[in-house]
Amino acid sequence: MLHNPNNIRTAGVPLEEASKVMVMVHGRGGSARDILSLSQYIEDKDFAFVAPEAQGNTWYPYSFLSPFEANEPYLTSALQVLASLRARLQSDYNVKPTQIYWLGFSQGACLALEFVARNASEYGGVFGLSGGLIGPPDTPRQYEGSLLNTPIFLGCSDTDSHIPKERVLESDSVFRQMGAKVTTRLYTNFPHTINEDELKIVNLLIAGEEPPAST
């Protein structure tokens, strides 16, 4: 495996005591420490936060819109890291899928969303901040399984230079077809970053509340 599945950082409640676990996936050039800093904005204090770190701080070398083979073998290794992490949470800490929340930013959001689609289950929540499903345009989206009852939030700028809004909307459609309860926000002329409204919606969904129809 190119990425080390044991290269992880944690924050929040100890895993042995946590009733919920959020897997936080950093973006290109970021780090586990960077993405873990978002944990301070999560209002629910029952979480353990777990963040894996990519080899060289990058999960795969090229754009998420590139042909899959261009990003191999890094992409497969990155997906294996998340699979390994989920398996360890379940086997070592008896964490059920409904107790697992996935949050990623940018490249990390793309990776987390693709993993969730390929490993569908009823998760506690999925939060893709500036990300979308991986693959070139017209990629067949023949994912198996159901995301029934899983709240998913997709937040992105409508002019993001890395993440086309069309891919965000395509991801919205795919996840809806898989049974998820999807909330999507495209922020007008917003930079490639995380904003307060996105974090507010994440907290609302964690609390089991419905986000406002529009912001």
Side-chain angles (χ1 to χ4, degrees):
M1 193 180 294
L2 295 170
H3 301 289
N4 181 358
N6 297 315
N7 189 8
I8 60 173
R9 288 182 177 270
T10 61
V13 177
L15 281 164
E16 294 84 355
E17 303 172 14
S19 59
K20 304 170 186 172
V21 178
M22 183 176 288
V23 180
M24 309 181 87
V25 189
H26 69 77
R28 185 191 301 274
S31 68
R33 185 190 298 274
D34 293 340
I35 195 77
L36 275 180
S37 68
L38 289 178
S39 64
Q40 66 182 304
Y41 300 103
I42 302 301
E43 296 169 355
D44 190 320
K45 301 306 178 188
D46 292 332
F47 273 99
F49 301 94
V50 182
E53 185 159 297
Q55 178 70 26
N57 304 101
T58 299
W59 293 109
Y60 44 87
Y62 299 109
S63 165
F64 80 120
L65 301 172
S66 301
F68 286 103
E69 55 270 25
N71 278 316
E72 295 295 2
Y74 300 93
L75 175 57
T76 292
S77 179
L79 291 167
Q80 288 173 339
V81 167
L82 298 191
S84 171
L85 190 51
R86 189 185 71 164
R88 289 163 59 189
L89 290 173
Q90 294 181 272
S91 64
D92 296 353
Y93 301 99
N94 196 31
V95 178
K96 297 177 175 57
T98 52
Q99 295 173 285
I100 300 177
Y101 296 70
W102 304 90
L103 182 147
F105 172 66
S106 192
Q107 190 184 63
C110 299
L111 183 64
L113 294 175
E114 186 68 28
F115 176 82
V116 165
R118 295 188 187 194
N119 299 272
S121 183
E122 182 183 348
Y123 293 112
V126 180
F127 313 118
L129 308 179
S130 299
L133 291 166
I134 293 174
D138 301 323
T139 295
R141 302 296 179 185
Q142 298 171 334
Y143 301 108
E144 297 181 356
S146 170
L147 290 163
L148 190 64
N149 298 323
T150 299
I152 293 183
F153 173 56
L154 304 173
C156 194
S157 168
D158 68 340
T159 57
D160 193 303
S161 59
H162 302 284
I163 313 295
K165 67 179 181 182
E166 291 79 11
R167 180 56 58 89
V168 178
L169 295 174
E170 178 189 359
S171 303
D172 175 306
S173 177
V174 170
F175 287 132
R176 287 182 189 277
Q177 291 173 23
M178 296 179 73
K181 298 181 290 186
V182 187
T183 301
T184 295
R185 294 283 187 274
L186 290 172
Y187 299 92
T188 304
N189 293 324
F190 204 79
H192 185 71
T193 187
I194 299 169
N195 64 52
E196 291 184 6
D197 189 69
E198 290 177 311
L199 295 172
K200 178 181 178 181
I201 292 174
V202 168
N203 279 309
L204 284 172
L205 291 174
I206 290 172
E209 299 178 18
E210 290 290 332
S214 62
T215 58

